[in-house]
Amino acid sequence: MDFLTLFLIYLCFLLTTVALLCICTGRKESFLARSVNGASQVLSFVIPTQLQRGTQRALHRLFHTRSCLFVVLHVALQAAVYGEYTWEVFVYCWELQFHLLLLLLPYLLLAGNMGCFILCSWANPGVITKSNHASLVKIYAYDGVLFQKGIVCPTCNMEKPARSKHCSFCSICVHRFDHHCVWVNNCIGAFNAKYFFLYLFTLTAMAATVAIITAAFLVQVVLLSNLMHGSYIDDQGHEHAVEILFLIQHLFLTFPRIVFMLGFVTLLTLVLSAYCCFNLYLALTNQTSNEWYKSRRHGCFHHLELQPHDRQVVYKNIYSKGVWMNLKEIFKPPTVLERKKK
C-alpha cells in the first residue's frame, strides 16, 4: 500500500472523527459529548497531567475559538478526492467511453460549491450592532419560552433580539442564529443561511456524483473482465466460485486508491444526506439548529399552555408561516417593513 493510500486513509479517519465532534459543537448535553468526557476521565488516570493540559488547550483552541484549520482541512480533502478522481477515475472512464457531460458534472458541482463556500464564509451572518439593533429587535416577536424580552447579552451589553444568540467563537451576537460552522469559519445566521443551504446541497451532490461515477466504473470493469463467472483457488487448494467478498478484495488490490475513495465518498454522502435532510426539515418548519436543540428541553406541542401538574411551559414554534413562506424566509430574510405590512 503506497503513501497516498495511507494518507487518504488517515484523512478519512480524521474527517469522520472531526465531523462527529463538529455535530456536537455547542450542544453540551449530547451523547457524543458525554462519551468524550467519560473517556477523558478514564484516560486521566494513565495520561500524564502535562499531556492532559496540553491536549485540553489544543482541543479548546480547535473547537472553541475561531480558526482556519478546518477550512484548510476542507480544501485538502476536496483536493485529495478530486485529484484521485481526475488522474484515475476520469481517465479510465474516458477510455471506457463514458459520456463526457457525466464525467464533467463533479467539476461543475465543485465550482458551484466553492462559490457558495466563499459567500458563506465571507458574508455577514447578521451581526447585531448598536446601529442596527433597534431595527433587528422589531423583526421577530418574543415567544416567551426560548426567547424572552429584557434579556441582555453580558458581552455585547445589548438586549438580545428574539431568535438571536451570542457566538462564543466569534464573540458577537447574531440575528436568527443557527450555529457556528467550523468548516466555513463563520456563523450561520439570517443573512448567510441561504449560502450555507446551497453549500451543503452542492457538497452532498458532489460526493454522490463522484461515488456513482466511481461505482459505475468498477462495475464496468467487473463486467468487461467477466470476473463474476470465474473461479479461484484458496490456500487449501480448493476451487470456489467468485463471491462478492473476493470480488471486493480483488478490486481493492487492483485499484486500492479508487476503492478506498469510493468507500470514503459513499460514507460522506450518507452523512451529508442525513444532515441535508435535517436542515431541510428546519427550513420547512422555520427553525434554527439552536432553536431545535433548545426546544427539546420544553417538548414539542401544537399549542402553548401551562401544564396542570408540573406547571411547566410547553414550547410552540410561533415563527412557522407555512412550508412555502418558511422556505422563502431562508432566501429572503424578513425586514422591519415587511413585518409591519403583515
Side-chain angles (χ1 to χ4, degrees):
M1 191 177 295
D2 58 18
F3 173 76
L4 181 56
T5 304
L6 291 173
F7 178 69
L8 289 174
I9 292 175
Y10 171 74
L11 285 179
C12 179
F13 172 77
L14 182 63
L15 176 63
T16 304
T17 305
V18 167
L20 290 174
L21 288 172
C22 289
I23 291 174
C24 71
T25 299
R27 299 176 184 180
K28 299 180 181 179
E29 301 300 327
S30 69
F31 171 77
L32 184 58
R34 292 196 301 267
S35 300
V36 171
N37 290 334
S40 300
Q41 292 177 0
V42 174
L43 293 176
S44 63
F45 294 102
V46 295
I47 298 178
T49 304
Q50 291 182 348
L51 182 58
Q52 292 182 40
R53 292 175 180 174
T55 303
Q56 289 175 356
R57 286 195 295 268
L59 290 176
H60 182 271
R61 183 174 181 81
L62 191 62
F63 292 104
H64 296 281
T65 59
R66 195 172 186 184
S67 171
C68 293
L69 178 62
F70 286 97
V71 176
V72 175
L73 178 61
H74 177 280
V75 175
L77 287 169
Q78 283 192 336
V81 170
Y82 270 85
E84 182 63 26
Y85 173 80
T86 301
W87 298 115
E88 293 207 44
V89 177
F90 185 93
V91 174
Y92 287 138
C93 290
W94 179 255
E95 293 177 355
L96 293 174
Q97 297 182 342
F98 277 56
H99 199 285
L100 180 60
L101 183 59
L102 177 64
L103 298 179
L104 293 178
L105 183 57
Y107 299 105
L108 298 176
L109 291 171
L110 175 63
N113 179 258
M114 291 305 297
C116 295
F117 171 78
I118 294 173
L119 289 172
C120 192
S121 298
W122 290 96
N124 177 10
V127 179
I128 301 174
T129 62
K130 292 183 179 180
S131 59
N132 64 13
H133 177 268
S135 59
L136 292 179
V137 79
K138 299 176 182 178
I139 293 179
Y140 293 111
Y142 293 92
D143 61 7
V145 181
L146 302 185
F147 306 104
Q148 300 183 14
K149 188 175 180 59
I151 303 298
V152 177
C153 174
T155 304
C156 301
N157 197 26
M158 290 185 296
E159 182 183 359
K160 291 183 177 181
R163 311 191 78 180
S164 68
K165 186 179 184 299
H166 183 84
C167 176
S168 58
F169 288 83
C170 305
S171 191
I172 55 174
C173 281
V174 179
H175 174 54
R176 198 182 182 275
F177 178 86
D178 191 279
H179 70 288
H180 181 92
C181 180
V182 295
W183 296 106
V184 300
N185 197 28
N186 197 8
C187 293
I188 307 302
F191 301 148
N192 67 346
K194 53 181 175 292
Y195 302 133
F196 179 76
F197 189 82
L198 294 174
Y199 160 77
L200 186 61
F201 176 78
T202 53
L203 189 63
T204 306
M206 281 167 49
T209 304
V210 172
I212 291 172
I213 295 175
T214 305
F217 159 70
L218 293 176
V219 169
Q220 190 76 353
V221 169
V222 171
L223 294 176
L224 291 176
S225 59
N226 205 27
L227 282 174
M228 292 300 296
H229 301 287
S231 61
Y232 69 97
I233 299 176
D234 61 15
D235 297 336
Q236 287 75 32
H238 300 117
E239 186 175 0
H240 300 275
V242 172
E243 301 172 348
I244 297 297
L245 185 61
F246 175 84
L247 187 61
I248 295 175
Q249 183 180 4
H250 173 76
L251 290 174
F252 185 79
L253 293 175
T254 308
F255 309 103
R257 293 192 297 268
I258 293 179
V259 173
F260 172 77
M261 185 189 71
L262 175 60
F264 173 70
V265 294
T266 300
L267 175 63
L268 196 61
T269 300
L270 295 176
V271 174
L272 289 173
S273 297
Y275 189 53
C276 203
C277 290
F278 174 67
N279 276 267
L280 180 60
Y281 161 75
L282 293 179
L284 295 178
T285 56
N286 205 330
Q287 298 182 79
T288 65
S289 298
N290 177 55
E291 293 165 2
W292 179 86
Y293 173 66
K294 291 172 67 175
S295 67
R296 302 305 98 186
R297 291 178 290 181
H298 294 277
C300 298
F301 290 81
H302 296 291
H303 55 281
L304 181 65
E305 62 181 5
L306 293 178
Q307 298 299 304
H309 300 292
D310 52 14
R311 307 291 292 178
Q312 291 182 349
V313 178
V314 179
Y315 171 70
K316 174 197 172 184
N317 180 17
I318 66 171
Y319 306 112
S320 180
K321 308 177 186 68
V323 172
W324 171 247
M325 293 302 297
N326 292 341
L327 191 60
K328 181 181 177 181
E329 187 169 314
I330 296 295
F331 295 92
K332 187 182 177 182
T335 62
V336 180
L337 293 178
E338 290 177 349
R339 190 182 173 209
K340 286 182 177 179
K341 292 178 181 179
K342 296 177 182 179

